[in-house]
Structures are given as C-alpha cells and as structure tokens.
Amino acid sequence: MQNEMMHRPVVKPELVDYMRTAQKPLTGKLHEIEKDANKRGVPIIPHETVEFMEFLLRQVKPQQILEVGTAIGFSASLMSQFVGDKGHVTTIDRFDKMIEEAKETFRYVGTEDKITLLEGQAADILPTLQGKFDFIFMDSAKSKYIEFLPDCLRLLKKEGILMVDDIFQGGTILQSEKEIPRGKRGIHKKLNQFLDVINNHPDLTSTLIPLGDGVALITKEAEQVNL
C-alpha cells in the first residue's frame, strides 16, 4: 500500500533530508522495522515525525494511547515504549494484510502484551469504545478524519492530546478544488473541513506542524465538545 504523498514533502527537500538524517536514529528492532519499511516504500511515519513523537510522549507520559490506523504496527510499537508498566496501546485497522504484518511486528519487537489490535472499520469500532485516553494518534483514511473526530474527542481526556498525521495532502491542501485531480477532490474537501473545525472551534486548541505531510496537535478545553 503505497502513499504517493510520502514523496511530496511540504518543506524544502534539503531540510527534510537534514531532519531525517541529522537526528538520532532509532536503535534495536524498531530501527530494523523502520529501515525495512522505508526500503519497501511502506507508509510509516517519517523519521522527523518519529523524533517529534518520542519527544512529545516523554513529556506527556501517557498511560492509555489510542491509535486509528495501525498499518504495519511500527508507530504502535514506538508509542508502547512510553506507556510505562501499567499503560496500554489500543490500535485499530481494517486491512487484513496490514493486520497480519502488524501482528508480526508486535511479536518481533516484543510489544504484544502492551498492544491490543482491534480488527475492523474504525467507523464501527470507535463508537463502541469507552474510557478516556491520554493520547490519540490518528493516521488513517484522510477523508475520514472529520468523521472520526467526534469520537476521538469523546474518548480523549480533557487536556489530552490528539495527534493527526498527513493533513496537508502533499502540500496541495490550499489549492482550489478545480486544481485537484477528480479522484482526490473528496479527500481535499474533507481535509479542509477537518482543518476548519480544529482551527476555529472555541473548545479546541490546535497547532499545525510541517513535519512529513503535516501534523496537527489538538487538545480540548471542555469535557464535552459539540461539533
């Protein structure tokens, strides 16, 4: 499952290269998973986002993490390192091929006990989840971000963090709909709706960061946020 937007960085290529090569590499089995995924062109978070996520999670010290979009299990395994002995990561995916590869990743890295993989459509699974999460990472179908947002906010602790990946659509997000290929216009429209909500809702505080294809960080200032 290739993602063409992985190869369209939204900042200067030389700066992207610097961020991906100058910062500390991962070590051990996660390094091997990252290296293999990059070699195969498998869509995982780029190394600059890896470093940012590690820095952020060290400050947040989350106990309960939810991920929407498991892919090969790389980011779930990465995040599981920061939940402590009693913490846990819950992750959701619907693609059989990705699910099997993720399970193999969890076995290889040794994170099986810290991660629960829920198999199926996030649209069906998210409404059934209860409890509160300190940190939620959404990296799934971009056109579904606006659909998944209400449940993610319901499940997020007040002042917890929702991190959303790939929000700039290869840098084309600000182009007019007429400039977007017809097959991408639905994603373009839904992503713009999502950005409009998180940037302007009175009960949300958000910041946008040009890492990879763009990252949004969102916190909620009320227990219940009505969209």
Side-chain angles (χ1 to χ4, degrees):
M1 186 184 297
Q2 299 268 345
N3 179 1
E4 64 185 85
M5 298 306 179
M6 289 175 64
H7 306 292
R8 300 180 65 181
V10 295
V11 298
K12 291 182 177 180
E14 58 268 31
L15 290 177
V16 172
D17 183 67
Y18 177 76
M19 288 189 290
R20 291 182 183 177
T21 58
Q23 299 188 83
K24 291 179 182 177
L26 292 172
T27 59
K29 293 180 178 180
L30 274 177
H31 173 67
E32 296 302 318
I33 295 290
E34 181 185 38
K35 185 169 67 172
D36 178 67
N38 289 332
K39 182 179 179 180
R40 293 189 289 138
V42 174
I44 63 170
I45 55 175
H47 192 68
E48 67 270 27
T49 305
V50 168
E51 290 299 298
F52 176 78
M53 179 180 279
E54 286 194 318
F55 181 90
L56 182 63
L57 293 177
R58 282 192 176 96
Q59 314 312 310
V60 175
K61 297 179 174 61
Q63 288 289 300
Q64 297 295 324
I65 292 177
L66 173 65
E67 178 182 52
V68 185
T70 313
I72 65 168
F74 171 72
S75 51
S77 294
L78 179 74
M79 292 187 292
S80 72
Q81 298 182 112
F82 298 93
V83 296
D85 293 336
K86 297 181 180 179
H88 202 77
V89 176
T90 301
T91 184
I92 304 170
D93 210 287
R94 66 187 178 94
F95 293 108
D96 292 340
K97 186 177 185 300
M98 293 290 101
I99 288 168
E100 290 308 309
E101 192 160 349
K103 289 178 179 178
E104 180 57 36
T105 295
F106 301 153
R107 285 191 291 268
Y108 177 68
V109 180
T111 53
E112 292 173 285
D113 292 343
K114 286 188 172 184
I115 301 173
T116 297
L117 173 54
L118 303 178
E119 302 176 25
Q121 298 277 359
D124 298 328
I125 293 172
L126 284 171
T128 71
L129 298 181
Q130 301 298 323
K132 294 293 184 180
F133 294 88
D134 309 290
F135 188 85
I136 298 177
F137 180 49
M138 186 155 58
D139 187 11
S140 59
K142 315 314 166 197
S143 62
K144 298 293 185 179
Y145 284 174
I146 188 68
E147 177 184 336
F148 297 160
L149 184 60
D151 272 312
C152 285
L153 292 175
R154 174 181 64 83
L155 293 164
L156 186 68
K157 284 184 178 179
K158 184 181 177 183
E159 298 180 353
I161 294 175
L162 169 59
M163 179 174 174
V164 185
D165 199 26
D166 296 334
I167 56 169
F168 291 152
Q169 195 61 7
T172 65
I173 194 65
L174 298 181
Q175 293 179 5
S176 70
E177 187 174 306
K178 292 180 180 178
E179 297 176 273
I180 304 299
R182 288 187 180 275
K184 303 289 185 183
R185 289 180 184 176
I187 298 174
H188 183 265
K189 179 179 180 181
K190 294 291 187 178
L191 270 178
N192 270 287
Q193 290 174 353
F194 172 80
L195 289 170
D196 184 61
V197 170
I198 67 169
N199 285 333
N200 296 294
H201 196 286
D203 291 329
L204 300 178
T205 298
S206 302
T207 186
L208 309 180
I209 305 167
L211 292 170
D213 190 22
V215 168
L217 296 181
I218 305 152
T219 63
K220 63 179 187 180
E221 308 304 329
E223 287 291 348
Q224 182 174 337
V225 177
N226 297 314
L227 300 181

